[in-house]
Amino acid sequence: MNAWVTLTNRCNSRCLFCYELDANGERATPWEAGEDDLSAQIRDAVARAATGVVLTGGEPTLSPLLGRAMAAARAVPSGAISLSHARSAR
């Protein structure tokens, strides 16, 4: 079971299917995970015996915490995968 960790809702794309856009196609109020929130999400993933962490957003590569999130996700067996513009990277 993977745990999904949201780093930000910011994105530099405007995909029509995006759930971060409102009914008018406008971006929601920008949100960034803080270090405490990131730590809590990773601790929760470990406590639930997650086998991996999916880093998502918005666009997770826009988050200043991406590197820390990737490092923290090493606490779970499969580490982290980042979903970025419909592509994935380990």
Side-chain angles (χ1 to χ4, degrees):
M1 166 192 71
N2 286 327
W4 287 62
V5 174
T6 302
L7 297 180
T8 181
N9 71 348
R10 292 186 307 127
C11 185
N12 53 351
S13 291
R14 297 192 71 77
C15 302
L16 295 176
F17 57 83
C18 183
Y19 54 84
E20 292 290 350
L21 300 178
D22 66 18
N24 298 318
E26 298 298 320
R27 182 106 12 237
T29 302
W31 175 85
E32 296 282 338
E35 288 196 42
D36 290 342
D37 185 46
L38 172 64
S39 295
Q41 289 186 70
I42 298 293
R43 276 194 311 273
D44 183 58
V46 171
R48 291 185 294 125
T51 55
V53 173
V54 178
L55 301 174
T56 188
E59 172 53 47
T61 62
L62 296 177
S63 171
L65 293 179
L66 180 61
R68 289 187 189 125
M70 296 290 281
R74 291 188 182 118
V76 297
S78 295
I81 189 169
S82 176
L83 294 181
S84 175
H85 294 308
R87 296 178 297 275
S88 64
R90 287 185 181 263

